[in-house]
Amino acid sequence: MRPAMLIRLALLALLVAFIVTPETFAPVFQPFTKNGAPAIYTQTSLLSLTLSHLAIVAVATVAATLFSVGLAIIVTRPFGVEFLPLSRSIANIGQTFPPVAVLALAVPMFGFGPIPTLIALFLYGLLPIFENALTGLTNLPGNVSEAARGVGMTGRQRLTQVEFPLALPVILAGVRLSVVISLATATIGSTVAAKTLGEVIIAGLLSNNTAFVLQGGLVVGVLALLIHDAFVMFERSIARRTGRLY
């Protein structure tokens, strides 16, 4: 087994151990506390916060992926080419309005809880997935597309059996970027009562407890690293199967 894989497995084991039994790691974080403050955040279970954080990111990413890939498919068909400028404007909405602004606009309409955070993450994740899907679907080898037409494939068959499988590694790269961004951005959801790891970070900032801030930040950072690497391996595996290794 390669050293890089061993490091990832060790990080995963440490992460699981920490979120399941955080009290075990109290001596590690004790030096970062002041005036006898607790070293481990216990207001809410770290395990439940982590699972809730991942669930919010997963739901927002799946929704953004379905919307963005669907939009990219439409504008790469002959009947939808004219909608490309409009689709780019839609995908750019999330980058135009910062997540904090989206939360501020969504809370009056949907109230406190996870929904404003889901909306913010959905909008913020559109652009990287859409642009990668567009790139993947428009930069296919010309001879492959011509061969598919030559054997009599319909437009739907070309899309599902040729174009989409070949574009999938590039699309997944966009999903990976969106997930990593969302993992970090989701922490602000705790400001509107969404259950995320931002709760630990905010508690640390309010109480001037660096240990709490480190705990929330490290869990989010390690999650982002592990999920990023898992996506990279998955992308390369699919790319090898399709002959488009990059």
Side-chain angles (χ1 to χ4, degrees):
M1 190 176 290
R2 292 179 298 176
M5 181 61 70
L6 289 173
I7 293 172
R8 293 188 188 101
L9 291 174
L11 277 175
L12 177 60
L14 279 172
L15 177 64
V16 171
F18 177 65
I19 63 177
V20 173
T21 57
E23 297 82 6
T24 309
F25 294 80
V28 176
F29 292 98
Q30 194 64 54
F32 300 98
T33 62
K34 297 178 181 179
N35 304 319
I40 299 296
Y41 184 77
T42 57
Q43 190 71 28
T44 308
S45 163
L46 278 178
L47 177 59
S48 67
L49 287 177
T50 301
L51 293 176
S52 177
H53 190 105
L54 289 173
I56 289 173
V57 170
V59 170
T61 301
V62 169
T65 300
L66 293 174
F67 183 86
S68 298
V69 173
L71 198 60
I73 290 173
I74 289 172
V75 300
T76 53
R77 304 304 99 182
F79 65 86
V81 172
E82 62 186 279
F83 297 107
L84 179 57
L86 175 62
S87 64
R88 276 212 163 99
S89 298
I90 294 172
N92 270 295
I93 288 176
Q95 308 299 318
T96 304
F97 294 96
V100 174
V102 175
L103 290 178
L105 293 171
V107 167
M109 291 186 287
F110 300 100
F112 289 92
I115 294 180
T117 305
L118 285 169
I119 294 172
L121 296 183
F122 168 77
L123 293 175
Y124 212 54
L126 290 177
L127 185 61
I129 302 174
F130 173 75
E131 288 296 341
N132 274 52
L134 192 62
T135 299
L137 291 168
T138 55
N139 287 279
L140 297 170
N143 56 339
V144 173
S145 299
E146 290 301 322
R149 289 190 181 90
V151 298
M153 283 187 172
T154 64
R156 179 176 295 182
Q157 288 174 327
R158 290 198 303 272
L159 173 64
T160 58
Q161 299 177 31
V162 179
E163 296 176 11
F164 189 78
L166 288 174
L168 188 55
V170 182
I171 295 172
L172 285 174
V175 176
R176 165 168 48 89
L177 179 58
S178 177
V179 169
V180 172
I181 292 172
S182 294
L183 280 167
T185 307
T187 55
I188 66 171
S190 292
T191 61
V192 293
K195 287 292 182 182
T196 74
L197 289 162
E199 179 179 321
V200 186
I201 297 173
I202 293 171
L205 293 173
L206 292 176
S207 62
N208 196 27
N209 190 334
T210 306
F212 289 176
V213 177
L214 283 174
Q215 286 161 44
L218 285 173
V219 173
V220 172
V222 173
L223 281 173
L225 178 63
L226 293 175
I227 292 174
H228 174 277
D229 288 350
F231 263 99
V232 168
M233 289 188 289
F234 187 42
E235 291 162 30
R236 288 176 177 171
S237 174
I238 293 177
R240 288 191 189 97
R241 296 177 190 175
T242 58
R244 298 196 77 189
L245 184 61
Y246 57 95

